[in-house]
Structure formats: C-alpha cells, structure tokens
Amino acid sequence: GPSDLLYLQWASDQLRRRRRAALDRRWVITPAGSIDKIGSFIALFGGNKLHVAVLTDLAQGDKNKVQRLREHDLLKAGHVFTADAYAGQAEADVEDLLGRPLYVALVNTCYGLSKTRAVPSNRPATAPIRVTKEIEQHFATLPPSVPEFDHYTPARYLLEHSTDFVSTLPDPEISAVLDRLESRAFRRLF
C-alpha cells in the first residue's frame, strides 16, 4: 500500500545517507494494494518485459496466497519476498521491518499521544505479534477525541519530519532498523 511505499523510500534514503546499500535507483516501488491484487498487477505490466519482484506483508491465512504467487508463471523464481522473513517473526507487515520501538515512537509522536494515552513502550503480553494490529487494538481503547488510527498517517509523518524524528531516537534503534534492511536476504531487493 501507499504507506509501505513511504517506509521503503524512507529506509532507502536513510541507508543511502549513511553510504550503505540502498534500493537500486533502477527499481520503482509501486503499491499493488494487497496480495490478492498482485497477480492482476503483474499480468497488466508483465507484457512490458519488466523485471518484477514482490514484497508483501504476511498475516494469518496469507501463506497459501503467497505460495500460489510463488508458483505462478508471471514471476521469476525467488522474486516473492514476505515481511516476516526480515522482521524475524511469524507474521509481519512492512511496519514490523521498522521494529516495534521505532514504530511505537512514531505513532505516539505523530498522533501527539500523552503519556496516559501513549502506546506502551513494552509490548503487552496479550498484544498481537504484528505491531499495526497492536496499535489498532490500543487506539480502540482511546476516547473518541483521539483521531482514528490509519496506516498512512505515521508513514507520511516520518517522511515529512524524518530529520527531527530520527534525532529523538537512540542511535542503536536506527542502526537496528538499517541493519535489518541491509541484511543479506533483504539486500536482494536493495
């Protein structure tokens, strides 16, 4: 989706600024909408002899869809990547690639959540594994005066306020995010 595009652009810019392996400028990130729409998207552009790779979130129930996509003739072998492989957890969205500490700080900052309303820095024992689902559950407990959570708002905030926001985070946190994105496996995309 559009927020995934912004996160990947931000991460690539952060890597490039630090003279690390970033997304090759020949790649164009194009949101396809969801895993269910990827086949149609590839069929639409496949006739143009484009080199296509897919990075998708992985949630409960998506494994069969991912397997079918991997077996489909429209993509070359090894060109379907799932966020769980890079986030180090069984299910993951692109937001999980940023890591929970960074994403929680981003959400708390961009929504201006006070300490009493903030997403806790430690994951509650009953929280879902995917950070976006945890955030959605947390926002469901907040009063109606708090704006409704959406996936795009934190991504846009990060792109618009990157320098200021990143300066509030400890260096080890940013390094962990960039190390994850520069890992050998993920480097196939970058």
Side-chain angles (χ1 to χ4, degrees):
S3 59
D4 299 338
L5 165 72
L6 297 180
Y7 290 129
L8 292 171
Q9 286 177 334
W10 174 83
S12 187
D13 289 346
Q14 293 297 310
L15 287 163
R16 192 171 282 113
R17 284 186 188 137
R18 290 164 175 80
R19 302 194 187 285
R20 294 173 70 171
L23 183 66
D24 188 307
R25 293 186 192 272
R26 293 174 291 178
W27 282 102
V28 176
I29 304 170
T30 307
S34 72
I35 194 167
D36 296 320
K37 297 176 184 174
I38 291 173
S40 300
F41 179 84
I42 293 170
L44 181 65
F45 290 101
N48 295 330
K49 308 257 189 271
L50 296 175
H51 186 80
V52 177
V54 173
L55 172 65
T56 184
D57 299 334
L58 187 69
Q60 189 86 1
D62 286 343
K63 290 184 182 187
N64 288 336
K65 294 175 185 179
V66 170
Q67 187 59 34
R68 282 194 301 275
L69 190 59
R70 285 185 170 135
E71 294 169 353
H72 204 283
D73 292 343
L74 293 174
L75 285 169
K76 292 182 181 180
H79 285 209
V80 178
F81 304 90
T82 56
D84 64 307
Y86 310 105
Q89 56 193 52
E91 296 180 17
D93 298 314
V94 168
E95 290 86 348
D96 292 299
L97 298 178
L98 300 176
R100 186 183 181 283
L102 186 146
Y103 193 69
V104 165
L106 176 61
V107 168
N108 286 336
T109 301
C110 80
Y111 282 95
L113 298 178
S114 64
K115 290 188 188 273
T116 59
R117 294 183 175 167
V119 178
S121 57
N122 293 320
R123 179 190 307 265
T126 59
I129 191 168
R130 293 165 47 207
V131 69
T132 54
K133 295 301 174 194
E134 177 188 346
I135 301 292
E136 288 169 2
Q137 282 185 357
H138 179 78
F139 268 69
T141 68
L142 297 177
S145 60
V146 175
E148 187 174 328
F149 172 74
D150 70 82
H151 292 249
Y152 188 75
T153 298
R156 189 185 79 229
Y157 183 92
L158 181 60
L159 220 54
E160 291 174 356
H161 304 279
S162 181
T163 303
D164 293 336
F165 176 72
V166 168
S167 70
T168 67
L169 300 171
D171 282 337
E173 183 55 38
I174 293 296
S175 292
V177 171
L178 299 179
D179 289 347
R180 192 167 27 259
L181 293 172
E182 199 183 35
S183 70
R184 184 187 316 159
F186 203 72
R187 194 175 287 189
R188 291 170 57 189
L189 287 177
F190 282 94

